[in-house]
Amino acid sequence: MAKTKYRFNPESISYEEVEVSLKTRALDFLKHVASSLVLAVIIVVVLFFYFGSPKERALIRENQELLSHYERLNNEFNKMQVVLGDLEQRDDNIYRVIFEAEPIHNNIRKAGFGGVNRYEDLENLKNADLVIATSKKLDQLSKSIYVQTKSYDEVEIMVKNKFKLLAAIPAIMPIAIKDFNRISAGYGWRVHPIYKTRKFHDGMDFTGKVGTPLYATGDAVVKSVGTIRGYGKTVVLDHGYGYTTLYAHLNGYNVKRGQKVRRGEVIAFLGNTGKSTGPHLHYEVRKSGKTLNPINYYFNDLTADEYDSMVAFAANTGQTMD
């Protein structure tokens, strides 16, 4: 049923019925529809502008979560870089020092990535700075870990070689003695037994009975067996790593040239050959051709007190036997 409209007539002081045409009714309806649509559009625009669509709100939450995740990753990378830095310091200043190796140059550890921009595809992201910084840290961390891993591979090889070195270094006494009175001469300037002049003595002299066993002081290969002028019958051992030892004035041999020997094996016997004033062993330690004081290489045999006593006794010997 159509609504009836009334209009107030002031002359008759009454409401009079007004007949509304179909066109007017249609126009009124369209006005209501238009105003409703305008209001709806305004509401939608306001909601979208200030609150966003459900999809946009979901994306915003996702972006916030991703940003938070990147920040956490960035912090974790910082912690990992600190730990890796500590490993690098230990590698350079402890492990490589122990094994007498050069530290890895900082240019190798911290080298960047040359060539094209690796992060060009990330530059258009909303949080590009954070994403690129995190990506760079990840790449640098990966490279540093790779370098450190290769370094530890080298250290492992050095450890194995160090065990061989420790086995090869002449580290025991060449003769078994119960007291240090059998040290007839130490290393250094001594009086020559024949010429009675001061002469540098390149080794240590040990007295004993002819035929007393003499021992390899470290793993080695027999370099030579034979007579050397002045030294008489000798054995020279090549320990590798620049070390050689010489046993002189021998009575006989227990090895052949080229033979491999282990520390503690009997290689010869004490004698009185060559320029010698009595039965004894003249023993030398050489590194890269230079003689060293053998007394510094008895650490596997002696306690600290015994070593101190030997040093004191060897220092007081004045005349050699060869």
Side-chain angles (χ1 to χ4, degrees):
M1 183 177 178
K3 294 182 179 179
T4 303
K5 287 190 176 185
Y6 295 90
R7 182 173 54 190
F8 181 74
N9 189 343
E11 292 182 357
S12 60
I13 312 176
S14 63
Y15 287 94
E16 298 176 352
E17 185 178 349
V18 178
E19 187 177 348
V20 180
S21 66
L22 182 61
K23 181 178 179 181
T24 301
R25 291 178 180 177
L27 289 173
D28 289 342
F29 174 77
L30 290 175
K31 288 178 182 178
H32 284 297
V33 171
S35 61
S36 299
L37 287 174
V38 170
L39 180 61
V41 169
I42 292 173
I43 292 173
V44 170
V45 170
V46 170
L47 289 174
F48 272 63
F49 183 79
Y50 288 100
F51 302 101
S53 67
K55 185 176 181 180
E56 287 178 338
R57 290 196 296 271
L59 288 174
I60 291 173
R61 284 195 301 270
E62 184 178 349
N63 284 338
Q64 290 174 343
E65 291 175 0
L66 286 174
L67 182 61
S68 176
H69 183 62
Y70 266 109
E71 289 175 347
R72 286 196 300 270
L73 282 177
N74 202 32
N75 292 332
E76 290 299 320
F77 285 148
N78 289 336
K79 293 177 183 178
M80 292 173 68
Q81 283 179 323
V82 171
V83 173
L84 182 59
D86 181 61
L87 292 176
E88 292 172 348
Q89 288 294 325
R90 289 172 181 268
D91 184 25
D92 288 341
N93 300 317
I94 299 179
Y95 308 136
R96 288 180 171 270
V97 171
I98 291 174
F99 298 114
E100 301 176 358
E102 290 293 326
I104 297 177
H105 199 282
N106 197 53
N107 289 342
I108 297 176
R109 290 193 183 277
K110 305 302 180 185
F113 298 91
V116 298
N117 184 1
R118 297 165 56 88
Y119 313 103
E120 185 177 1
D121 56 333
L122 303 177
E123 292 176 350
N124 295 325
L125 297 179
K126 184 178 181 181
N127 300 297
D129 291 342
L130 177 60
V131 175
I132 291 174
T134 305
S135 299
K136 285 182 178 179
K137 286 184 178 180
L138 176 60
D139 288 341
Q140 186 62 60
L141 190 64
S142 300
K143 184 178 185 299
S144 298
I145 290 174
Y146 174 77
V147 172
Q148 190 58 50
T149 301
K150 299 301 290 183
S151 175
Y152 280 146
D153 289 343
E154 294 177 7
V155 171
E156 182 181 5
I157 295 173
M158 287 188 283
V159 169
K160 293 178 181 178
N161 289 337
K162 200 69 172 183
F163 281 125
K164 293 180 181 178
L165 170 62
L166 293 175
I169 289 177
I172 64 172
M173 297 183 67
I175 185 172
I177 58 175
K178 295 181 179 179
D179 61 76
F180 301 134
N181 288 324
R182 289 177 60 181
I183 301 175
S184 62
Y187 180 85
W189 290 97
R190 296 291 186 269
V191 176
H192 193 277
I194 298 175
Y195 304 115
K196 304 302 180 181
T197 57
R198 292 181 78 247
K199 184 179 179 181
F200 195 86
H201 190 234
D202 289 321
M204 289 186 70
D205 290 346
F206 299 89
T207 62
K209 294 181 180 180
V210 173
T212 300
L214 305 175
Y215 305 99
T217 53
D219 294 356
V221 175
V222 179
K223 183 177 182 181
S224 66
V225 175
T227 301
I228 299 177
R229 183 178 180 181
Y231 286 105
K233 293 181 178 180
T234 63
V235 170
V236 178
L237 301 183
D238 185 354
H239 299 267
Y241 307 97
Y243 286 99
T244 58
T245 50
L246 178 143
Y247 301 71
H249 309 298
L250 307 176
N251 181 60
Y253 315 113
N254 197 46
V255 291
K256 297 179 180 180
R257 184 175 181 273
Q259 180 179 336
K260 292 183 179 180
V261 295
R262 303 294 295 273
R263 177 182 289 149
E265 286 188 27
V266 176
I267 60 167
F269 304 96
L270 186 145
N272 189 26
T273 59
K275 192 181 293 184
S276 171
T277 58
H280 77 287
L281 164 69
H282 174 81
Y283 173 70
E284 294 182 8
V285 175
R286 300 184 180 188
K287 176 70 184 297
S288 302
K290 182 180 179 181
T291 61
L292 302 172
N293 192 343
I295 206 169
N296 296 326
Y297 290 87
Y298 300 147
F299 46 81
N300 274 18
D301 262 359
L302 305 176
T303 66
D305 291 338
E306 289 173 336
Y307 180 78
D308 289 341
S309 297
M310 174 177 274
V311 171
F313 193 90
N316 292 327
T317 57
Q319 180 174 293
T320 66
M321 297 185 69
D322 48 29

